[in-house]
Amino acid sequence: NAGVTQTPKFQVLKTGQSMTLQCAQDMNHEYMSWYRQDPGMGLRLIHYSVGAGITDQGEVPNGYNVSRSTTEDFPLRLLSAAPSQTSVYFCASSPGTGMNIQYFGAGTRLSVL
Amino acid sequence: AQSVTQPDIHITVSEGASLELRCNYSYGATPYLFWYVQSPGQGLQLLLKYFSGDTLVQGIKGFEAEFKRSQSSFNLRKPSVHWSDAAEYFCAVGPFTGGGNKLTFGTGTQLKVEL
């Protein structure tokens, strides 16, 4: 049972480049979300989705886009990377839209030079 | 807006000693409360949660936490720490009504265990 899978694990970008962080879950969870983790700041919510075709902004959405075309996948797009987006990114999923346990992926460590 | 405070950035304990990690939250009603653990290079793993009922909750790996409404606290405890408990610990709060699954995390407490 894979759970929540994030790819890639590590990525280095130059300022202005674009990329997509992939997140897939095989638990048929409705809810998926993206967080970024920065030293001394804990995890902050970027975007979330309550089901296929439905997304919404979290606490720090600027510079990021998301879409949810299937239940399984929830990619995070950086259209023009900036050094301020250097961070560790975590994807999470949970079974419903009530307050359920969230299951986290192993993270993607991104450096923007 | 909800918020979570973990006042201790770093804590060092000796193996076998007891542990208490502090967590205070700010929220207008009864929240859902969680403790997660993150080992180096890993994602977050749920240790325990409080939704309602008994205010002392048991989790995995011998951890427990007590919800104290009067103090707006949800402190994590373990009677005897093992070297493998060295990790970063995050307290999180979620809204009791509405808000879906959006969690607000504290800034984390890094636990070091001395042998």
Side-chain angles (χ1 to χ4, degrees):
Chain A
N1 52 352
V4 180
T5 301
Q6 290 185 239
T7 56
K9 293 191 187 308
F10 303 94
Q11 183 71 47
V12 179
L13 292 178
K14 294 181 179 179
T15 297
Q17 286 185 315
S18 63
M19 81 158 295
T20 300
L21 308 185
Q22 301 292 346
C23 176
Q25 53 91 9
D26 61 359
M27 299 174 282
N28 201 33
H29 286 173
E30 292 183 57
Y31 184 90
M32 296 185 74
S33 56
W34 278 101
Y35 294 87
R36 60 177 289 173
Q37 183 182 29
D38 302 293
M41 302 191 74
L43 278 77
R44 292 179 291 168
L45 182 65
I46 304 171
H47 285 287
Y48 65 97
S49 169
V50 299
I54 306 170
T55 64
D56 205 347
Q57 296 179 352
E59 181 185 359
V60 287
N62 293 341
Y64 307 95
N65 279 354
V66 293
S67 60
R68 183 102 178 265
S69 56
T70 67
T71 299
E72 295 77 20
D73 300 300
F74 190 45
L76 178 71
R77 297 182 185 85
L78 285 69
L79 299 179
S80 179
S84 60
Q85 294 178 303
T86 294
S87 187
V88 182
Y89 292 85
F90 288 100
C91 179
S93 73
S94 64
T97 54
M99 183 46 63
N100 289 292
I101 297 168
Q102 294 197 34
Y103 297 84
F104 284 81
T108 295
R109 186 174 296 274
L110 176 68
S111 293
V112 182
L113 306 177
Chain B
Q2 60 202 45
S3 66
V4 178
T5 301
Q6 293 180 247
D8 304 305
I9 299 174
H10 296 98
I11 283 185
T12 300
V13 300
S14 300
E15 188 175 36
S18 63
L19 172 70
E20 182 170 28
L21 302 183
R22 296 183 290 166
C23 172
N24 292 95
Y25 67 90
S26 174
Y27 188 65
T30 301
Y32 291 116
L33 294 160
F34 304 82
W35 274 100
Y36 283 86
V37 60
Q38 184 182 29
S39 298
Q42 302 297 314
L44 279 71
Q45 179 184 22
L46 181 71
L47 281 176
L48 47 79
K49 65 187 186 296
Y50 172 77
F51 284 1
S52 64
D54 192 347
T55 57
L56 183 63
V57 294
Q58 302 297 321
I60 62 172
K61 304 184 180 185
F63 285 91
E64 67 177 26
E66 186 171 12
F67 170 57
K68 293 186 177 179
R69 184 191 306 273
S70 62
Q71 299 177 18
S72 297
S73 69
F74 189 56
N75 294 348
L76 181 71
R77 301 194 294 250
K78 187 170 185 178
S80 178
V81 170
H82 187 264
W83 65 266
S84 61
D85 293 325
E88 190 159 20
Y89 293 79
F90 292 93
C91 181
V93 60
F96 187 75
T97 56
N101 288 352
K102 290 187 286 185
L103 292 178
T104 298
F105 284 85
T107 52
T109 297
Q110 187 74 46
L111 174 65
K112 180 180 177 180
V113 180
E114 291 183 332
L115 301 176

